[in-house]
Amino acid sequence: MGAVKSKRVPRAVREQQMLDAAVLTFARRGYSAASMDEIAEAAGVSKPLVYLYLNSKEDLFSTVIRRESEALVAAVAAAVEPGATADRQLWSGLKGFFAHTAAHPHGWAVLHQQARTHGEPFTREVAAMRAEIIAFVTKLIGAAAKETGCVGELAEREVAGLAHALVGAAESLAEWVNVRADEGTSGEREHPSAKDTAATMMNFVWAGLGRLTEGGRWAPDGLAGQESASGVRR
Amino acid sequence: MGAVKSKRVPRAVREQQMLDAAVLTFARRGYSAASMDEIAEAAGVSKPLVYLYLNSKEDLFSTVIRRESEALVAAVAAAVEPGATADRQLWSGLKGFFAHTAAHPHGWAVLHQQARTHGEPFTREVAAMRAEIIAFVTKLIGAAAKETGCVGELAEREVAGLAHALVGAAESLAEWVNVRADEGTSGEREHPSAKDTAATMMNFVWAGLGRLTEGGRWAPDGLAGQESASGVRR
């Protein structure tokens, strides 16, 4: 790869290659330990070219965070079934979230583990993305309460708290699933599908542990046979 | 404070003062930006004394993480009602968790935001603490399933996933509550009590959003009047 330095590769393509290499390096080594040398080598370009295109390690990290944030938000937004009931929107959004974080484990590691702790402006970028997802979930919980005729019953503050709890739960679960996948593929440690992980989340957030331990289950509307959550009941 | 350098302060006391100052500095500035000068100044001692007692910034950070982890785990363990039903144990443990994280916002910020991203051995320390809490929650969910006669119904893997989701939810909620508290004390942004936050979590994890939006509530056994979750229904 080191030999590929042809001028014929368009700048936009080259930049994406550098960002891919940067995501991998930041995720594996951490922001502080990652070096521009390493990133350049992983991208198969010279270090001066990385500086020329992306300016500095700080700027590179910012660009990575923005790209990965936008990709994650776009994946969730694209997955949500518009016009569906609140629980189905949540279910489809969660499937999108877990599919994306499983397919982009390094991007997710950068957002979840690296970007939140290295001060401004990185923290702000991730906080903005997180706020967008939380606002969406808050709206869904509000809509769900309304659908079941429970307007005004859940105080605004509690709805916001529930949304933060739900997003934290999904983040934690996504991290766990990726770490398990990283640890190998022995029978015990296979990577659950995004759908299974989303089903675990829906059972948790929708049915609740109380109902769940009594054998109750959340299931997508009218799809109990074909698309039931039973895949996780092994 | 800078003048107090008397040899008469016992080493153990002096060390705790240094650790208190370090927690504050790491939480506010981040691990990378925090300097030993700043920590020494906040502790009211000379920098050489900090090095003498706690060796290096790395060792100081490790010691801080260990102290804060142990304090958090001890607070949760002490709060849990032994021998109670699983939901009551969870409820009391959550109250302990939210009370401790609210009372020690800087310690919590170090554990939740700083310690997980600066590589070994810090990551390992926090992971060990988190694993301990997750193991406890996993046991509780298993016990709850058993209490309701649902043995074998929840697969082991799903119980572990639920425990990770629950712990992630509690972490996210604790962070949110502390950030709100940090942002001031206007009417809109008052700090909810640990009990209210724990009630939000129990409603979320036990009743589930589905039941919650239908007006269902989790309430501690037999205490619906005196110790009901209605405090969060404003």
Side-chain angles (χ1 to χ4, degrees):
Chain A
M1 224 184 179
V4 186
K5 285 183 195 175
S6 159
K7 292 262 178 202
R8 276 186 247 134
V9 177
R11 176 167 177 153
V13 174
R14 194 56 103 194
E15 270 188 15
Q16 291 306 313
Q17 290 170 347
M18 289 178 192
L19 292 175
D20 291 343
V23 167
L24 200 70
T25 310
F26 286 134
R28 284 190 180 153
R29 312 269 291 152
Y31 173 64
S32 308
S35 74
M36 290 296 258
D37 281 304
E38 228 173 328
I39 293 168
E41 201 190 320
V45 300
S46 68
K47 191 160 74 163
L49 197 66
V50 180
Y51 279 107
L52 180 70
Y53 279 12
L54 292 154
N55 206 31
S56 66
K57 187 169 136 181
E58 289 71 28
D59 283 356
L60 180 53
F61 194 50
S62 274
T63 308
V64 158
I65 292 170
R66 199 165 317 122
R67 189 184 79 163
E68 298 303 316
S69 287
E70 285 172 1
L72 176 57
V73 169
V76 173
V80 172
E81 282 178 44
T85 54
D87 63 329
R88 275 210 69 104
Q89 285 196 45
L90 195 56
W91 160 243
S92 49
L94 283 168
K95 275 192 296 184
F97 175 78
F98 290 118
H100 186 84
T101 52
H104 303 87
H106 300 111
W108 174 242
V110 167
L111 293 179
H112 184 56
Q113 289 164 10
Q114 293 300 323
R116 291 165 74 175
T117 56
H118 293 285
E120 300 297 352
F122 313 134
T123 314
R124 205 177 334 134
E125 293 273 358
V126 178
M129 177 225 26
R130 208 170 179 260
E132 199 174 325
I133 291 185
I134 285 174
F136 171 69
V137 172
T138 304
K139 218 178 61 189
L140 279 190
I141 297 175
K146 214 167 163 180
E147 272 166 22
T148 48
C150 168
V151 189
E153 188 60 40
L154 285 171
E156 234 178 83
R157 192 180 74 184
E158 196 176 25
V159 170
L162 292 169
H164 278 84
L166 193 154
V167 168
E171 288 168 343
S172 178
L173 205 50
E175 187 189 2
W176 178 61
V177 163
N178 281 354
V179 168
R180 284 167 57 92
D182 244 21
E183 281 170 357
T185 49
S186 71
E188 282 300 299
R189 299 234 161 226
E190 82 217 42
H191 202 165
S193 72
K195 200 172 133 187
D196 283 357
T197 311
T200 296
M201 266 298 287
M202 280 309 287
N203 279 322
F204 178 55
V205 306
W206 213 265
L209 286 179
R211 194 147 44 180
L212 202 53
T213 55
E214 285 157 18
R217 290 270 154 177
W218 176 88
D221 260 332
L223 291 169
Q226 202 192 2
E227 200 189 12
S228 84
S230 65
V232 294
R233 283 179 97 162
R234 291 158 211 161
Chain B
M1 221 182 184
V4 186
K5 285 183 196 174
S6 160
K7 291 263 177 202
R8 276 187 247 133
V9 177
R11 176 169 177 149
V13 173
R14 193 57 102 195
E15 270 189 15
Q16 291 306 313
Q17 291 170 346
M18 290 178 192
L19 293 175
D20 290 343
V23 168
L24 199 70
T25 310
F26 287 135
R28 283 189 180 155
R29 312 269 291 152
Y31 173 65
S32 308
S35 74
M36 291 296 260
D37 280 306
E38 230 173 329
I39 293 168
E41 201 189 320
V45 300
S46 68
K47 193 161 74 165
L49 196 66
V50 180
Y51 279 106
L52 180 69
Y53 279 15
L54 293 154
N55 205 29
S56 66
K57 187 168 137 181
E58 288 70 29
D59 283 356
L60 180 53
F61 194 49
S62 274
T63 308
V64 159
I65 293 171
R66 199 165 318 120
R67 189 184 78 162
E68 298 302 317
S69 288
E70 285 172 1
L72 177 57
V73 169
V76 172
V80 172
E81 282 178 44
T85 54
D87 63 329
R88 276 210 69 104
Q89 285 196 45
L90 194 55
W91 160 243
S92 50
L94 283 168
K95 276 193 294 185
F97 175 78
F98 290 119
H100 186 85
T101 52
H104 303 88
H106 300 111
W108 173 240
V110 168
L111 292 180
H112 184 55
Q113 289 164 10
Q114 293 300 324
R116 291 165 72 176
T117 57
H118 294 285
E120 300 298 352
F122 314 133
T123 313
R124 206 178 332 134
E125 293 272 0
V126 178
M129 175 221 32
R130 211 171 176 258
E132 199 174 326
I133 291 185
I134 285 174
F136 171 69
V137 172
T138 304
K139 216 178 61 190
L140 279 189
I141 298 176
K146 214 166 165 182
E147 272 166 24
T148 49
C150 169
V151 189
E153 189 59 41
L154 286 170
E156 232 178 85
R157 191 179 76 185
E158 196 175 24
V159 170
L162 292 169
H164 278 84
L166 193 154
V167 169
E171 288 168 342
S172 178
L173 205 51
E175 186 189 5
W176 180 61
V177 163
N178 281 354
V179 167
R180 283 167 60 93
D182 242 22
E183 281 170 356
T185 49
S186 71
E188 282 300 299
R189 300 233 159 228
E190 82 217 40
H191 204 163
S193 72
K195 199 172 134 185
D196 283 359
T197 311
T200 296
M201 265 298 287
M202 278 309 286
N203 280 322
F204 178 55
V205 305
W206 211 265
L209 285 178
R211 193 146 44 178
L212 203 53
T213 56
E214 285 157 19
R217 289 271 154 177
W218 175 88
D221 260 333
L223 290 170
Q226 201 193 2
E227 200 190 13
S228 84
S230 66
V232 295
R233 282 179 97 163
R234 291 156 210 161

